[in-house]
Amino acid sequence: MSVKLVSQVSFSLALLLTIQLAIAKGPISKPSCTDHCGNIDIPYPFGMGEKDCYFNEWFEIECNESRAFISKIKMELLNISVEGWANVKSPIISSYCSDRESDLPFNLTGSPFFISDYNVFIAVGCNTRALMIDQSLQRFGCESTCLGHKKNVDWRQMLPNFIEEGSSGNYWIVNNYCNGTDCCHVTIPSSLQVFDPKFQAVSSQSTDGCKLAFLAGTYPPISWRKKDPNVQFPMVLDWMLYSNRTESYNWMINSGFWSGNYLGSESVSCFSIGKIFVTLYVIIFT
């Protein structure tokens, strides 16, 4: 009897260890679908290749030379979380900046993607007011001035100053670097879908100096492993499967791909777990 008991305990511990390892492994794709592009995990509802590998066309990922792109919105992907957010490269809108072409603004209206309020809006320039206007007529911005008679900023020198290296070897956005001199920053409201900043002169003494505006993520998960030679920054997009958050989260839980707690709020923590391990839980605890 004692031998049998030891065997059962060992078997249970082995099963629990297997379950823990399965959970630690992270996101999963659908069976027979590619689950990564380069070093980026691609969990369902995102996917590549056959249409059955992703939830719908908004979640199709294109892999180009180990670089992942959200195909429909043409943004380069840095990371995906099944908790409803993704890191993408932020476009930098610029004007009168030598040797730098401006990136394009974007409009996510009609898509399941939203600009997360984990981002801050940053503007660089002298005598400059940068405004961000959403189609819902939400309007906000900040003003940036320069000391003395300075009329221009050197973007090549300034932009790397927004980046600092952490103890883990990753790089982060510097918090509160811009105080209104040479650059400024402002927090943004949630659920925006349009990024099309406009520049205005603060006074009648307008200059044609370099002006830039971009979004950047500011909390620890928003990091990258090496500095971008073109000095681009990661931003955060929230995503939903449906237009309604509650419906979206319920689908996540009921789909069979994830298990999690829904507490009646607008957030849910999910983790990937294979169906076979759910059965093993029942064996152990019943």
Side-chain angles (χ1 to χ4, degrees):
M1 176 69 69
S2 60
V3 173
K4 185 177 181 180
L5 179 61
V6 170
S7 177
Q8 288 177 340
V9 171
S10 299
F11 178 68
S12 297
L13 289 174
L15 289 179
L16 286 172
L17 179 59
T18 303
I19 292 168
Q20 290 173 347
L21 290 174
I23 293 173
K25 186 178 180 181
I28 58 172
S29 63
K30 292 185 74 173
S32 302
C33 296
T34 304
D35 62 358
H36 66 278
C37 174
N39 62 357
I40 300 174
D41 291 326
I42 310 296
Y44 192 80
F46 295 86
M48 297 178 289
E50 299 295 328
K51 290 185 177 180
D52 288 343
C53 288
Y54 45 89
F55 183 71
N56 61 33
E57 61 183 2
W58 292 107
F59 295 92
E60 180 182 5
I61 301 299
E62 177 184 350
C63 190
N64 186 357
E65 297 181 352
S66 298
R67 296 169 63 194
F69 297 83
I70 303 176
S71 182
K72 189 76 172 177
I73 61 176
K74 303 184 186 307
M75 285 187 161
E76 184 170 352
L77 182 66
L78 302 175
N79 191 19
I80 305 173
S81 170
V82 294
E83 294 181 5
W85 54 264
N87 295 346
V88 296
K89 280 192 176 182
S90 177
I92 298 178
I93 310 302
S94 60
S95 176
Y96 295 108
C97 296
S98 60
D99 299 327
R100 182 182 184 95
E101 291 186 9
S102 177
D103 294 322
L104 296 176
F106 62 84
N107 189 333
L108 304 175
T109 302
S111 81
F113 299 100
F114 299 84
I115 301 170
S116 172
D117 57 6
Y118 277 118
N119 299 295
V120 292
F121 176 61
I122 298 175
V124 176
C126 295
N127 192 36
T128 297
R129 178 184 297 115
L131 298 175
M132 185 170 165
I133 304 173
D134 187 66
Q135 283 188 337
S136 61
L137 299 183
Q138 296 190 75
R139 179 172 175 162
F140 59 93
C142 63
E143 294 184 359
S144 174
T145 59
C146 297
L147 298 176
H149 299 289
K150 184 178 176 181
K151 295 182 179 181
N152 204 356
V153 294
D154 185 345
W155 66 267
R156 299 177 195 81
Q157 181 179 2
M158 279 204 66
L159 292 189
N161 292 333
F162 291 93
I163 305 169
E164 65 180 352
E165 185 173 2
S167 58
S168 62
N170 286 4
Y171 294 90
W172 316 94
I173 296 294
V174 178
N175 286 324
N176 300 320
Y177 175 77
C178 293
N179 58 9
T181 300
D182 296 339
C183 61
C184 61
H185 76 275
V186 63
T187 57
I188 68 172
S190 61
S191 300
L192 297 178
Q193 290 190 292
V194 178
F195 181 66
D196 188 9
K198 306 298 182 185
F199 299 109
Q200 296 178 350
V202 173
S203 67
S204 59
Q205 298 177 349
S206 178
T207 70
D208 292 332
C210 177
K211 307 172 183 66
L212 306 101
F214 57 94
L215 297 165
T218 57
Y219 73 123
I222 308 310
S223 65
W224 63 111
R225 297 186 184 281
K226 62 181 180 180
K227 289 186 177 181
D228 189 309
N230 296 317
V231 200
Q232 281 191 287
F233 302 93
M235 61 174 285
V236 193
L237 292 182
D238 294 330
W239 58 266
M240 297 188 298
L241 294 174
Y242 298 96
S243 60
N244 178 279
R245 277 189 168 87
T246 300
E247 185 181 10
S248 181
Y249 295 150
N250 285 341
W251 185 94
M252 290 181 184
I253 294 170
N254 296 328
S255 66
F257 283 92
W258 299 311
S259 177
N261 290 322
Y262 177 63
L263 302 177
S265 66
E266 288 194 348
S267 63
V268 62
S269 295
C270 301
F271 55 83
S272 307
I273 180 167
K275 291 181 181 179
I276 185 172
F277 295 128
V278 174
T279 304
L280 293 178
Y281 269 123
V282 174
I283 292 174
I284 294 170
F285 294 112
T286 57

